[in-house]
Amino acid sequence: MQTEDARFLKRKVKGGNIDVHPTEKALVVHYELEATILGELGDPMLGERKECQKVIRVKSLNANTNIAALAKEIMEKCKLIHPSKLPEVEQLLFYLQKRKDTGPVKADGKKGQLSERLNDPRPFEGSEIDETANINDVDEYLELLYEDIPEKLRGTALILQLARNPDNLEELFQNETVVGALARVLREDWKKSTELATNIIYIFFCFSSFTDFHGVIAHFKVGALSMGIIEHELKKYDMWKEELEKKRKAAEADRGNDQLRKEFEKSLKKFQGLLRKQEQLLRVSFYLLLNLAEDLKVEMKMRNKRVVQMLIKSLERDNFELLILIVSFLKKLSIFVENKVEMANSSIVERLVNLIPCDHEDLLNITLRLLLNLSFDVDLRSKMVKVGLLPKLVALLNNENHRVTVLSVLYHISMDDKCKSMFTYTDCIPMVMKMLLEYPEERVELELIALCINLAANKRNCHLICDGGGLKLLMKRAFKFKDAMMMKMIRNISQHDGPTKIMFIDYISDLANAIQKVDDEEFVLECVGILGNLTIPDLDYELLLKEYNLVPWIQSKLQPGNAEDDLVLEVVILVGTVCCDDNCAKMLAGSGIIQSLIELLNAKQEDDEVVCQIVYVFYQMIFHESTREVIIKQTQAPAYLIDLMHDKNAEIRKVCDNTLDIIAEYDEDWGKKIQLEKFRWHNSQWLEMVESRQMEDSEAYMYGDDSIGSYIQDADILDRPDLFYNTDSYDAAMDGNVTPEYMDEHPYKGMMGVPGGTPYGMGMSNEFDPYNRPDTNPAMYGEQPVDQYGRPVMMDQYGYPMVDQYGRPVQPEFVNGNDEDYGYGGFGYR
């Protein structure tokens, strides 16, 4: 039989059980709906059964409510409940009256189940009607969208019923007329009714749960419209608060005026009702935007429309479900630097501090995860400490649900040296020590041990860690499980001077044994690092090296390629530490370790840390008289130190200078070489200029002998005092030695190279002129004045060189001739 033969639709409702709502003050009525399509002759053609439920909320129920009267009222309004079930309704209402409010899940510190995803928005006032929607009646619901607001509200509520069932979304999506009509109504009437806007945005939210439908949402620009609605609602909220505050102040100012008090109470009740509806609208709107933000391009558009500021402004609400959604959205946005900067500028940390701690586990969890994202920023970490988040976070360490996240945030905070000392004012160190020592597994979780390692880098924290035998317990656990990470924490403790370092004397034998017997190289590295930190004056390092035969082990590790760079560095540091003892330095020098260090220096010359520590070892050995002779006379260490005295690393230069000062004081030959190298370095530019200028002038005009050039290249320039003066003043009679007396007696031959010693650029008025042409720099060759090129020049009666109209020197053979061939070619040289 064809569908066209259908003539009638028969509906049958069968009542079912009545239960109480698990969290709200409401009754849940279960019923079965049977729909049968009858043919022309009354015979059934198609039938369908569906189990439904209706929620009857009794918000007015309290301790003084008349249960019997309320039950009768419910029976009259709800036809789904049979009159015979009146006693059952009364009993359920009595149970609701006595039941305590469940409220949010409490944070009790025990391990619990946290929500992995956000919950869908629950039904709200305006979306629930007694009528049950049918997918076959979509066209009827569509017609309601062209009526007045009440009919539009009913039509959208029925379509929302269908949209909440994912099976109906595809069919609704195919009906472009319905989707277009919903977008049109939202665009035109969202200001007229909050419930209407909420229903329509909720419908589009149902579509947004599936990526396939994002295209149609973008086509109708529902996302942009939703952001406009959110912005408008936030402005309305500010206006409502401002008006309510005015009425509150007026009522408080005149406490005897009952009318003002009643007016304020009425306004407060109205405000709470409006706020509840607005938060429903904000929740579905933000949820829609969160789903659409899966596309990064769409998310960027939202950011440009100031979605971050809207979210942060909404954090002042008290609705847990709305806050969970807002913080989740902010957490998603916070992974991008641009959004993080915008959040920082909007004082997000100050807003989040009010949410920690809170009674809602899911909200607390997502807030901590947002803080973890923000804690990667140094400035935001500092702000977290300033607003008092540190003690609040420490207090959450006992909560198993959030312990790992809290440890991660605290680890980031402990990375800043300024914040490490702040942990001493909290209970953090006793708590983490307890967690560390009582950890059930061999390897402590990384978040916990990483925090402990950072905390141990602060001296004040170390005093708290070591109190009550803390160091002994740490050592016991570290050696028991061969835990390299815990040993790294102990190594940080060992670097601080004072009473904590003295405690390590009891564990030197254990550390020395572990160096040679433990196979784990990371564990060995930390043990060597601890021994290298133990700069204790009364410690007998010679006994340590002999008893545990450490010298051969040190020699083997210093050979290039025998160990990893990190271990090699720690071994060099250990050598530097034990060399502070005279006998140890002598023992190591006699074993040939100095040559090993020189070879290592050649191999690791690009590693500043290794180079600096090797130079420090040389310093320690030169400091002792017993090893000074070995370093200076029997090795090339001083030469390497001279090469390193101008290293780009400031610390290396500093240690080199101190070491070379001792060498220069002890050995005269090396002292001269060091002084010469320092002079060369200090005057390198001047020496280079003098040498290059002398090379050009002497080779071209004065010497004419190739042997002289090779002499200048090979000889030491500091042995040529004639190079310190201008060659234009050269007099063969002086044999290259010009004295101040000679300069005074021969003013023409001064270094300035001009008569009377007038410098280049200076006129007769002694005022500097940067544009003045240089004089010809005459000198004397025997009795004949010559220019800088050795050519004869004519002098006038005042002793100045004669020049032509172009300022060129006039030579004797051309005084009465032409100027075509002076040795110049026009304006330039030929």
Side-chain angles (χ1 to χ4, degrees), residues 179-192 196-197 200-201 204 216-226 229:
V179 180
L182 289 170
R184 176 189 58 80
V185 173
L186 179 63
R187 190 177 302 106
E188 295 176 356
D189 298 330
W190 66 268
K191 289 185 179 180
K192 298 179 182 178
L196 179 62
I200 298 175
I201 293 178
F204 282 109
V216 67
I217 298 174
H219 174 72
F220 290 105
K221 300 181 179 179
V222 177
L225 184 57
S226 298
I229 293 173

Side-chain angles (χ1 to χ4, degrees), residues 59 124-125 194 198 240 269-283 317 319 322:
K59 297 179 181 179
F124 49 86
E125 184 179 351
T194 302
T198 305
W240 293 343
K269 190 174 182 180
K270 181 180 178 181
F271 171 75
Q272 292 172 346
L274 293 172
L275 188 61
R276 185 169 56 254
K277 292 181 180 180
Q278 188 186 69
E279 288 177 347
Q280 292 168 352
L281 175 57
L282 290 176
R283 188 178 181 214
R317 306 299 178 108
N319 187 303
L322 177 61

